[in-house]
Amino acid sequence: MLIASLKRLDATVSAETEALLAHRPIDQDAVNRRKGQSLLELTRLTRGLDPERVDPELAEQLARLRRSLQRNQEVVGLHLRAVEEIAEIVNDAIQDAESDGTYSARRRR
């Protein structure tokens, strides 16, 4: 049951990563809900689990999930930086459009 739960979380994270890389629309609320449910399930399933006694199949699935999560973090971070840059560009454009430059040291473009 634990391995199945890890596989579901891995599939969710991988699907999100692939959608972001392909610039496909994604229902972020649904993805976040599935990830939250998976984390809750994993928390419940791993209570009392001795990390020293993890079998090889479980260890491999954990390693696979770790790689998926690392890749997802990179891709999400890239998208967040892009959003920040776009927001800054839009903010600058709005400020430039609303200002006649009288009270600003900034030059109009």
Side-chain angles (χ1 to χ4, degrees), residues 9-91:
L9 178 56
D10 186 26
T12 299
V13 170
S14 295
E16 177 187 37
T17 302
E18 293 307 314
L20 289 171
L21 287 170
H23 305 289
R24 288 192 316 260
I26 185 168
D27 183 349
Q28 200 63 54
D29 288 335
V31 169
N32 287 339
R33 190 172 34 259
R34 284 194 306 271
K35 287 193 289 189
Q37 289 169 343
S38 289
L39 292 174
L40 178 61
E41 183 179 22
L42 286 173
T43 299
R44 290 177 178 161
L45 290 171
T46 57
R47 282 193 183 123
L49 180 69
D50 182 1
E52 301 296 320
R53 304 188 91 168
V54 172
D55 67 58
E57 183 183 6
L58 178 58
E60 176 56 35
Q61 188 59 49
L62 286 167
R64 188 175 299 126
L65 177 60
R66 178 184 295 263
R67 289 189 299 272
S68 292
L69 288 169
Q70 288 170 336
R71 180 68 177 137
N72 181 265
Q73 182 179 12
E74 293 168 3
V75 172
V76 169
L78 181 65
H79 278 263
L80 287 175
R81 286 189 296 280
V83 167
E84 289 170 352
E85 288 180 23
I86 291 168
E88 187 177 323
I89 290 168
V90 169
N91 184 51

